[in-house]
């Protein structure tokens, strides 16, 4: 049995490890490119190891544009991302509970409406939405980027619904017998059981808001308010020189916060109600 | 019932929290930029006195730095003015400008492009600057009349060119030398072109990149002019020619030379779209193309010497002409006072010596001949090569074509599609030529309404 | 734990239990609306007006720069009768959805299954496998992908090790370029993988313990317990990834530099829509395109929901 277990373990590490290299190669290349001279990135593309190691890309990249450094962009991105994430996760949890556990009039209709909103490409809603926020004099503020998140995000609502669906209704019933109302059940029974779904939503929300460039592009005018993805695109102007070195360097840099969040949260992601999981 | 009310209250509270959260968070982001010695943002901060002018442009990191420096210089001389600057890279700028136009939020002063400005002028979004030219706010004394005219349409001065450039071919002189060709003559013809490139390919086994493979409209414009036509008719409601034979040569050439191996295979160039992964820069191709001002970035990216020459002529007809590399325009909806002040800024960009020393040839060859001499004196050999070349074309050109009409971007996209289809041998040059005329005219017919 | 899973099964069979719970709460109508109120408020405040506006605009001629003019069904008629690019982009998108979505899901599930095996390294592995998804549609992808699939890219280098002499540029060749985009979609399988993982962890251990007692083999456990218990999550991922793939934009935008080249092989529907709306200034046509897409995606999703009863376990 132990020999079998050992063999299994070795096989696991071999397969997963080998595959990890394939998964990682592009990322490694990106990191290596961030330390290469701008011209080397394309000239000497095949080698993972920079022929001449330079920190120049990080320096010029961090400097940003017109005296606005990446510290500003980082700060802007963090503010928008954190607010959006808090908003969308809290709202999504509430809405998901409403849709999955409570039977109310027109529920199916609203649910269908909700799913439909997800299917319309954002590019066409953006302009009418832009005009709407412009009427409210809210363009060039972060409100149009953050406010809609407080309505919840369909993806998370639907995701959390799936997890609530997996919780036996008898638990609700038992809590009811103990004197809990709908709200009590939500807080005491449901929330503790859907922590993995909530954490998953948090990570996704953070990631998706973090990398979004289209809405910030439309809504934010002053470069001092730009977010990181928007700033990253500014290194590349096809009509003149593009600073690919700086692009790579700052792309790597922009991965750091998301990666930290992921690494920090990933324990909670998978420690669900059944802590022991699948055992062979 | 109490629960419901408290539930609603909670939700309302949540929303108010967001709103207050927003207004309080916008201030720290301002303060960080202020503390990072942001020249641009400090101007927004002390906007208490005087007028705020919104300026926007597209470009690279260098252009942003230089433009901001010039605007700061202007502000130091005119303390009653402050700026709100917005800048992005090219494609993002276009998307943003269109969105701003949709809500009448265009900046007061903004950079415009020869290729798409008519879309805006036709909707009455851009101001006529003639009166500022007349009252001397914008001084064209040292600017060639042909160049001034490139900012005009229908007798109105909608834009002021900030610099000029022209179409050109870039090549690697070392590769050409190996084939026994020392220097290419600006006055060469298509016959020379075919012969020389074939020669170079045979001797060095290095292929050439087709001229203007990504924006074949620039090539089409020249080819059509070489035969005495214009790409678009006067009012932009159809093409300026009806015979497919006018446009066919450019399709025929890409087919023939690609088949012969003289041109790089299309699957290589179909997705290569930046200077840095261009074949000429990487040393895998003997030629490439670009606006004359792009030569500098090509040389910088390649790290070796590159040369510039004209798009070949049809016999003695060159077809090439200088164009504004970019222009400044003013929002029609801005107040008269702002318009006048913006016009003053434009003049500063084209005529001020100090500004010129900052900008150099960042926006192409300066339009004012006086400024051009100053900048030339400060330039290195590569820049001088560009100056000489642009001046050569300026001397040998016919009158420039007018602005591309509305919906031209769709026509260009059709042309690019067909060009690529011919290169991939999916369609014959004959079919491509007639299909182009048919599709282009259908698109342009929309302008007749 | 044991009690929970035991009652879980009983509740499946007894419909009377459900109605009993329902009768416990008299004012569910109100409670329901309280809980969905954030979404409902947002729907009315930010979403419904723009959606209706885009529907309205699809019946007009609107170029962003001047006021819309009503033109009735013109946009739709043109789309179906005289727009080869519409069909081309629809075709590209369908191929993309049909291949990329199942591949990504199978991949994600397989990896998630492997990750349930406990080792000290699992945290690290999980992070590594998730990393590609963090890159998203960043501009860096454009360079990265050319590096992988270009003429002198890593794929050709690997092929040459196996004696295949390939000098094609996988991205630039219209026959293979979509494949590289599909690989990109599959490569970024992190989000469905995480959801699968979370789902796998939610399966009560007691079920496996019971199966162990019965002496079930691993594959039996997979098909009898894991797969059925996971069907709600599989369903979720299937629906969400399908919608995502239908409306995906950034990746093809970045890789083809916004053009859909070569020969429109990367012209995904949303990219075409974007080009129409923002590059060619035909916002109204873009809106019409969007509503046709909505119809296509809506029907697809409805079909998926209709099949739900057949294979999805529980609600």
């Amino acid at each position: 049995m132990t020999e079998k277990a050992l063999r299994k373990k070795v096989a696991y590490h071999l397969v997963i490890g080998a595959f990890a290299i394939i998964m990682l190669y592009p990322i490694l290349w990106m990191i290596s490119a961030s330390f290469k001279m701008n011209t080397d990135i394309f000239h000497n593309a095949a080698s993972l190891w920079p022929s001449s190691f330079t920190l120049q890309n990080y320096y010029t990249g961090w400097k940003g544009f017109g005296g606005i450094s990446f510290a500003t962009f980082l700060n802007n991105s963090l503010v928008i991302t954190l607010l959006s994430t808090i908003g969308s996760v809290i709202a999504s949890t509430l809405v998901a509970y409403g849709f999955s556990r409570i039977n109310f009039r027109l529920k199916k209709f609203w649910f269908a409406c909700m799913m439909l909103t997800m299917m319309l490409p954002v590019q066409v809603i953006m302009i009418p939405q832009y005009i709407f926020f412009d009427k409210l004099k809210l363009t060039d503020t972060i409100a149009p980027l953050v406010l809609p998140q407080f309505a919840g995000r369909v993806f998370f609502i639907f995701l959390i619904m799936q997890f609530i669906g997996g919780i036996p209704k008898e638990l609700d019933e038992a809590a009811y017998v103990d004197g809990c109302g709908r709200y009590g059940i939500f807080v005491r029974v449901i929330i503790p059981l859907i922590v993995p779904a909530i954490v998953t939503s948090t990570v996704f929300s953070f990631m998706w808001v973090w990398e979004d460039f289209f809405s910030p592009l439309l809504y934010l005018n002053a470069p001092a308010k730009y977010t990181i993805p928007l700033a990253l695109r500014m290194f590349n102007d096809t009509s003149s020189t593009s600073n690919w070195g700086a692009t790579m360097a700052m792309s790597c840099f922009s991965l750091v916060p998301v990666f930290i969040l992921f690494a920090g949260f990933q324990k909670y992601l998978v420690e669900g109600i059944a802590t022991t999981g699948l055992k062979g | 019932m109490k629960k419901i009310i408290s539930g609603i209250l909670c939700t309302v509270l949540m929303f108010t929290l967001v709103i207050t959260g927003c207004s309080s968070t916008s201030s720290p982001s301002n303060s960080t930029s202020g503390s990072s010695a942001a020249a641009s943002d400090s101007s927004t901060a002390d906007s208490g006195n005087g007028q705020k002018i919104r300026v926007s442009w597209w470009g690279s990191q260098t252009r942003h730095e230089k433009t901001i420096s010039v605007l700061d210089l202007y502000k130091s001389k005119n303390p009653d003015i402050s700026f709100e600057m917005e800048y992005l890279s090219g494609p993002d700028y276009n998307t943003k400008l269109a969105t701003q136009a949709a809500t009448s939020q265009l900046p007061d002063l903004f950079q415009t492009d020869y290729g798409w400005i008519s879309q805006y002028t036709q909707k009455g979004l851009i101001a006529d600057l003639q009166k500022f030219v007349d009252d001397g706010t914008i001084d064209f004394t040292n600017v060639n009349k042909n160049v001034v005219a490139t900012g005009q349409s229908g007798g109105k001065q909608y834009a002021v060119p900030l610099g000029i450039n022209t179409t050109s071919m870039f090549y690697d002189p070392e590769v050409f030398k190996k084939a026994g060709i020392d220097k290419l003559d600006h006055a060469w013809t298509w016959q020379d072109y075919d012969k020389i490139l074939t020669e170079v390919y045979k001797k060095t086994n290095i292929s050439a990149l087709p001229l203007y493979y990504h924006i074949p409209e620039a090539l089409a414009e020249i080819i059509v002019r070489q035969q005495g036509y214009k790409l678009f008719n006067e009012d932009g409601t159809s093409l300026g020619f009806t015979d497919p034979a006018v446009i066919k040569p450019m399709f025929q050439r890409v087919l023939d030379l690609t088949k012969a191996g003289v041109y790089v295979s299309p699957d290589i160039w179909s997705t290569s779209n930046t200077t840095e992964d261009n074949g000429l820069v990487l040393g895998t191709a003997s030629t490439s193309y670009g606006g004359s001002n792009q030569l500098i970035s090509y040389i910088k990216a390649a790290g070796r010497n590159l040369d510039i020459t004209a798009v070949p002529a049809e016999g003695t007809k060159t077809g090439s002409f200088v164009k504004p590399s970019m222009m400044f325009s003013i929002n029609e909806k801005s107040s008269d006072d702002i318009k006048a002040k913006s016009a003053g800024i434009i003049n500063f960009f084209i005529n001020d010596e100090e500004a010129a020393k900052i900008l150099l040839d960042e926006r192409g060859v300066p339009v004012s001949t006086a400024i051009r001499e100053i900048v030339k004196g400060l330039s290195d050999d590569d820049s001088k090569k560009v100056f000489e070349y642009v001046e050569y074309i300026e001397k040998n050109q016919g009158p420039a074509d007018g602005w591309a009409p509305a919906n031209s971007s769709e026509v260009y996209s059709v042309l690019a599609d067909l060009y690529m289809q011919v290169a991939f041998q999916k369609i014959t040059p004959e079919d491509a030529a007639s299909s182009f005329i048919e599709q282009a005219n259908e698109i342009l017919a929309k302008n007749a309404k | 734990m044991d009690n929970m899973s035991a009652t879980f099964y009983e509740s499946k069979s007894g419909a009377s239990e459900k109605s009993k719970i329902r009768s416990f709460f008299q004012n569910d109508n109100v409670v329901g609306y309280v809980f969905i109120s954030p979404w409902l408020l947002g729907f009315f405040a930010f979403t419904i007006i723009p959606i209706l506006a885009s529907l309205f605009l699809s019946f007009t001629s609107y170029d962003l720069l001047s006021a819309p003019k009503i033109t009735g069904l013109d946009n739709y008629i043109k789309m179906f009768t005289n727009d080869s690019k519409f069909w081309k982009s629809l075709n590209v998108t369908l191929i993309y959805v049909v291949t990329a979505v199942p591949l990504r899901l199978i991949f994600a599930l397989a990896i998630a299954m492997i990750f349930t095996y406990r080792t000290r390294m699992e945290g690290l592995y999980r992070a590594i496998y998730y990393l590609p998804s963090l890159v998203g549609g960043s501009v860096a992808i454009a360079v990265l992908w050319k590096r992988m699939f270009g003429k002198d890219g890593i794929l050709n280098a690997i092929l040459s090790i196996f004696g295949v002499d390939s000098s094609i540029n996988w991205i630039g060749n219209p026959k293979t370029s979509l494949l590289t985009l599909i690989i990109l979609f599959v490569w970024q399988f992190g989000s469905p993988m995480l959801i699968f993982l979370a789902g796998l962890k939610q399966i009560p251990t007691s079920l496996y313990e019971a199966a162990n007692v019965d002496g079930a083999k691993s594959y039996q456990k997979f098909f009898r317990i894991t797969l059925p218990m996971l069907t709600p999550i599989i369903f979720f991922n299937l629906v969400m990834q399908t919608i995502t793939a239908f409306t995906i934009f950034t990746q093809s935008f970045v890789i083809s530099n916004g053009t859909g080249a070569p020969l429109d092989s990367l012209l995904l529907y949303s990219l075409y829509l974007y080009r129409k709306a923002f590059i060619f200034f035909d916002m109204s046509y873009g809106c019409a395109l969007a509503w046709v897409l909505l119809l296509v995606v809506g029907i697809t999703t409805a079909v998926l929901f209709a099949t739900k009863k057949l294979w999805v376990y529980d609600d």
Side-chain angles (χ1 to χ4, degrees):
Chain A
M1 193 64 192
T2 44
E3 196 191 326
K4 195 185 163 194
L6 184 72
R7 230 185 295 150
K8 205 172 164 185
K9 196 171 174 181
V10 171
Y12 169 87
H13 284 290
L14 271 181
V15 171
I16 282 278
F19 220 74
I21 293 171
I22 299 177
M23 292 295 295
L24 265 191
Y25 178 83
I27 308 283
L28 292 178
W29 187 83
M30 196 169 118
I31 295 170
S32 120
S34 75
F35 292 109
K36 287 180 181 175
M37 305 292 285
N38 200 21
T39 49
D40 253 15
I41 294 176
F42 292 90
H43 274 299
N44 216 340
S47 75
L48 263 189
W49 198 251
S51 59
S52 56
F53 184 89
T54 175
L55 283 172
Q56 184 66 29
N57 297 324
Y58 283 88
Y59 174 74
T60 45
W62 184 262
K63 211 173 63 175
F65 313 89
I68 301 165
S69 79
F70 256 74
T72 308
F73 303 135
L74 173 69
N75 181 56
N76 296 341
S77 272
L78 278 177
V79 168
I80 291 171
T81 311
L82 286 176
L83 284 175
S84 302
T85 301
I86 292 169
S88 67
V89 171
I90 292 176
S92 300
T93 312
L94 289 169
V95 176
Y97 178 69
F99 273 127
S100 61
R101 271 299 202 257
I102 300 161
N103 287 306
F104 53 90
R105 231 169 278 144
L106 293 178
K107 174 166 138 175
K108 286 215 164 118
F109 171 76
W110 292 124
F111 184 72
C113 281
M114 188 178 79
M115 292 303 290
L116 281 179
T117 58
M118 212 190 149
M119 298 169 199
L120 211 56
V122 283
Q123 290 86 3
V124 288
I125 312 181
M126 298 237 89
I127 292 299
Q129 210 165 41
Y130 182 86
I131 296 171
F132 171 76
F133 279 111
D134 179 60
K135 291 249 157 35
L136 296 178
K137 299 262 171 277
L138 284 175
T139 55
D140 204 25
T141 72
I142 65 171
L145 307 175
V146 172
L147 270 182
Q149 301 284 342
F150 277 73
R153 217 169 162 138
V154 183
F155 189 98
F156 306 144
I157 296 175
F158 196 27
L159 173 69
I160 296 169
M161 281 176 68
Q162 299 303 305
F163 280 83
I164 295 179
I167 300 169
K169 294 208 171 85
E170 285 68 21
L171 290 183
D172 296 33
E173 215 177 314
Y176 179 75
V177 172
D178 290 348
C180 280
R182 279 297 197 199
Y183 309 97
I185 293 171
F186 174 65
V187 174
R188 302 227 182 105
V189 180
I190 302 294
I191 288 190
L193 293 179
I194 54 165
V195 170
I198 292 176
V199 176
T200 309
S201 302
T202 308
V203 172
F204 288 174
S205 168
F206 193 95
M207 198 175 94
W208 292 339
V209 178
W210 188 260
E211 71 176 25
D212 181 29
F213 83 88
F214 206 69
S215 331
L217 170 65
L218 293 194
Y219 286 113
L220 304 175
N221 293 338
K225 291 175 186 160
Y226 287 175
T227 58
I228 287 181
L230 203 48
L232 277 179
R233 296 173 63 82
M234 290 170 71
F235 288 117
N236 303 293
D237 190 73
T238 36
S239 64
S240 54
T241 332
S242 299
N243 192 343
W244 286 107
T247 309
M248 290 299 159
M250 289 301 107
S251 295
C252 290
F253 166 75
S254 82
L255 285 183
V256 173
V258 219
F259 192 71
I260 289 175
L261 177 97
F262 179 80
F265 264 135
Q266 65 119 353
K267 208 176 94 195
Y268 304 98
L269 277 174
V270 286
E271 302 300 327
I273 40 170
T275 40
T276 39
L278 279 184
K279 256 182 186 168
Chain B
M1 204 53 195
K2 265 182 194 167
K3 277 174 188 167
I4 302 158
I5 293 167
S6 66
I8 293 167
L9 275 179
C10 276
T11 329
V12 172
L13 187 73
M14 216 162 68
F15 272 86
T16 36
L17 271 178
V18 191
I19 293 161
T20 48
C22 291
S23 46
S24 67
T25 44
S26 58
S27 48
S29 66
N30 276 344
S31 63
T32 13
S33 54
S35 64
S36 62
S40 68
D41 217 52
S42 54
S43 49
T44 346
D46 59 7
S47 59
N49 55 336
Q51 232 134 6
K52 222 191 277 177
I53 295 178
R54 271 175 70 209
V55 191
S56 78
W57 67 90
W58 74 87
S60 60
Q61 212 172 2
T62 328
R63 187 177 304 154
H64 299 328
E65 305 290 346
K66 288 186 170 179
T67 310
I68 291 168
S69 304
V70 171
L71 289 175
D72 282 339
L73 179 67
Y74 188 81
K75 187 172 136 54
S76 69
K77 293 184 173 179
N78 301 273
D80 58 321
I81 287 177
S82 67
F83 295 111
E84 255 179 55
M85 307 178 204
E86 298 166 17
Y87 41 89
L88 286 162
S89 61
D92 287 350
Y93 178 86
N94 297 352
T95 306
K96 176 124 194 137
L97 204 67
T99 320
Q100 291 179 328
T103 49
S104 312
Q105 291 277 332
L106 284 177
D108 299 310
L109 176 62
F110 55 101
Q111 201 169 294
T112 45
D113 186 85
Y114 202 73
W116 48 253
I117 185 172
S118 56
Q119 201 94 33
Y120 288 81
T121 53
Q122 282 178 4
K123 310 293 177 196
L125 297 167
I126 290 179
D128 180 9
L129 305 178
Q130 192 56 49
K131 94 175 163 197
F132 302 114
V133 178
D134 295 341
D135 72 11
T137 316
I138 298 174
D139 179 11
F140 280 147
T141 326
N142 292 321
V143 185
N144 181 324
K145 274 201 187 80
N146 277 333
V147 173
V148 173
T150 58
Q152 295 167 347
S153 173
K156 288 180 176 168
Q157 189 84 38
Y158 285 117
V160 174
L162 292 170
I164 50 173
N165 69 0
T166 180
T167 45
S168 57
M169 185 184 98
F170 305 146
Y171 64 100
D172 188 335
E174 286 306 311
V175 174
F176 278 68
K177 248 173 226 158
K178 272 183 213 152
I181 296 142
D182 265 353
K183 193 161 170 58
L184 292 175
D185 187 354
H186 291 337
W188 66 336
T189 64
W190 285 111
Q191 282 72 27
D192 301 334
Y193 175 86
D194 294 343
K195 212 175 78 195
I196 291 173
L197 289 192
T198 311
E199 189 77 6
V200 169
Y201 172 66
K202 278 190 182 143
K203 291 206 171 136
T204 63
N205 207 27
I206 298 176
S207 303
L209 280 166
L211 280 168
Y212 288 91
Y213 56 82
H214 261 129
I215 40 169
E217 65 265 22
L219 180 60
E221 211 166 39
I222 295 176
I223 293 208
V224 169
R225 279 166 63 92
Q226 287 173 347
Q227 296 170 65
Y229 300 95
K230 280 183 176 177
L231 190 51
F232 300 104
N233 72 356
E234 214 48 57
D235 52 2
T237 51
S238 79
L239 291 177
F241 58 95
T242 49
D243 186 0
V246 175
I247 191 85
K248 201 193 126 196
M250 82 179 252
F251 292 122
Q252 191 67 52
R253 178 161 288 104
V254 72
L255 179 70
D256 293 347
L257 295 188
T258 305
K259 267 188 180 165
V262 175
Y263 270 171
V264 173
S265 146
D267 63 332
I268 302 301
W269 53 256
S270 61
T271 51
S272 145
N273 42 36
T274 60
T275 311
E276 289 74 13
D277 72 349
N278 181 283
L280 176 63
V281 166
L282 296 174
T284 56
S286 59
T287 71
S288 185
Y289 70 88
S292 50
N293 56 334
Q294 279 175 277
L295 178 71
I296 310 301
S297 27
Y298 267 73
I299 292 176
K300 221 161 64 182
R304 62 184 200 284
N305 185 35
L306 299 176
D307 244 320
I308 185 167
T309 196
V311 172
E314 185 70 54
T316 52
K317 289 180 191 143
T318 63
S320 300
F321 59 102
V322 297
K323 288 180 179 188
S325 45
M326 51 209 82
M327 313 185 282
F328 256 150
S329 295
I330 293 176
N331 184 355
E332 171 67 19
K333 297 206 172 76
S334 298
S335 71
D336 286 343
D337 187 33
I338 296 273
K339 276 182 193 165
K341 291 210 161 96
S342 301
I345 299 163
I346 295 180
N347 191 55
F348 191 72
F349 268 83
I350 62 169
N351 284 320
D352 188 85
E353 279 183 30
E354 275 180 83
K357 282 175 187 162
I358 297 171
L359 289 166
L360 296 177
D361 52 353
E362 174 57 36
R363 282 186 170 82
V365 173
V367 289
S368 149
T369 44
I371 295 297
R372 204 179 286 178
E373 287 313 310
I374 296 169
V375 173
K376 219 190 267 182
L378 296 166
S379 301
D380 58 11
D381 289 349
D382 291 335
S383 292
K384 277 186 190 139
K385 232 186 305 194
V386 175
F387 276 82
E388 271 163 36
Y389 171 67
V390 171
E391 280 171 350
Y392 167 83
I393 297 290
E394 211 179 3
K395 257 180 239 140
N396 293 286
Q397 73 170 22
D401 281 5
W403 294 340
N407 294 313
S408 57
S409 55
E410 207 168 347
V411 173
Y412 295 161
S413 152
V414 166
L415 184 65
D417 281 352
L418 291 169
Y419 193 76
M420 211 183 271
Q421 283 176 28
V422 173
F424 275 109
Q425 301 182 31
K426 299 274 178 202
I427 181 174
T428 64
E430 288 79 17
D431 291 350
S434 46
S435 171
F436 172 65
I437 291 180
E438 190 188 322
Q439 291 189 56
N441 283 336
E442 193 186 323
I443 294 164
L444 292 168
K446 284 192 271 185
N447 294 341
K449 282 173 196 168
Chain C
M1 280 305 196
D2 284 338
N3 282 341
M4 201 179 86
S5 53
T7 46
F8 188 75
Y9 278 107
E10 282 161 24
S11 83
K12 272 300 291 175
S13 50
S16 58
E17 306 269 309
K18 278 185 189 164
S19 57
K20 210 191 282 176
I21 294 178
R22 205 175 296 146
S23 65
F24 289 158
F25 303 98
Q26 294 301 328
N27 54 352
D28 264 5
N29 268 325
V30 188
V31 182
Y33 278 98
V34 170
F35 274 100
I36 70 160
S37 62
W39 175 77
L40 212 54
L41 282 174
F43 181 67
F44 282 109
F46 311 121
T47 323
I48 186 80
I49 299 169
I51 285 182
L52 292 179
S54 82
L55 181 62
F56 166 74
L57 287 176
S58 77
F59 297 109
T60 67
S61 163
Y62 176 52
D63 63 1
L64 279 180
L65 308 179
S66 49
K69 285 187 282 286
I70 293 177
T71 55
L73 287 170
D74 278 10
N75 287 326
Y76 293 97
I77 291 168
K78 189 186 167 208
M79 197 184 304
F80 285 103
T81 59
N82 189 18
D83 185 359
S84 57
K85 290 225 169 190
F86 160 71
W87 295 108
K88 173 79 187 175
S89 66
L90 196 60
N91 187 31
V92 172
T93 309
L94 286 176
I95 295 174
Y96 182 76
V97 171
V98 170
T99 51
V101 172
L103 280 175
R104 187 189 240 193
L105 290 184
I106 291 168
F107 216 64
L109 181 59
I111 303 288
M113 292 291 298
I114 293 173
F115 278 148
T116 54
Y117 179 84
R118 298 240 136 182
T119 90
R120 246 174 293 161
M121 301 276 277
E122 68 170 313
L124 179 71
Y125 283 144
R126 224 156 30 210
I128 288 174
Y129 277 68
Y130 196 72
L131 204 50
S133 307
L134 298 181
V135 186
S138 136
V139 272
I141 283 283
V143 189
L144 218 54
W145 235 235
K146 273 180 202 155
R147 194 49 230 121
M148 301 303 123
F149 298 103
K151 190 184 173 196
D152 51 357
I154 200 78
L155 178 64
N156 283 344
I158 292 171
L159 285 177
S160 73
I161 294 172
F162 293 104
V164 184
D165 182 32
S166 159
S167 62
I168 70 164
N169 175 1
W170 293 81
I171 293 186
N173 190 314
K175 289 195 187 97
T176 53
S177 53
L178 186 60
L179 185 70
T180 65
L181 206 61
I182 292 170
I183 294 176
L184 177 59
F185 189 75
V186 177
W187 182 58
Q188 301 186 323
F189 64 87
S191 61
M193 176 192 80
L194 274 192
I195 295 168
F196 276 136
L197 254 180
L200 285 170
K201 297 283 173 174
Q202 232 198 6
I203 299 173
T205 336
S206 55
L207 296 181
Y208 292 103
E209 281 157 9
N212 283 340
V213 172
D214 295 345
K217 300 235 164 59
S218 343
Y219 74 88
Q220 284 174 323
K221 280 187 277 184
F222 176 73
F223 285 108
R224 299 263 171 80
I225 303 169
T226 315
L227 219 46
M229 294 298 285
L230 209 55
T231 45
I233 303 297
I234 296 175
F235 176 74
F236 168 82
N237 273 336
L238 183 63
V239 171
M240 286 304 168
Q241 295 303 326
T242 304
I243 297 176
T244 308
F246 263 117
T247 54
I248 201 161
F249 167 73
T250 323
Q251 276 82 352
S252 68
F253 176 76
V254 167
I255 287 184
S256 73
N257 198 31
T259 62
L263 297 187
D264 295 333
S265 57
L266 297 180
L267 191 69
L268 288 182
Y269 199 90
S270 291
L271 180 58
Y272 179 50
L273 187 156
Y274 168 83
R275 282 177 69 75
K276 273 286 177 190
F278 287 97
I279 308 288
F280 305 146
F281 293 100
D282 200 345
M283 180 50 80
S284 53
Y285 197 76
C287 289
L289 282 170
W291 279 85
V292 171
L293 180 65
L294 180 81
L295 208 66
V296 173
V297 185
I299 291 171
T300 312
T301 316
V303 169
L304 289 177
F305 267 90
T307 64
K308 196 179 168 195
K309 281 191 197 111
L310 301 176
W311 61 279
V312 178
Y313 188 82
D314 196 17
D315 189 305

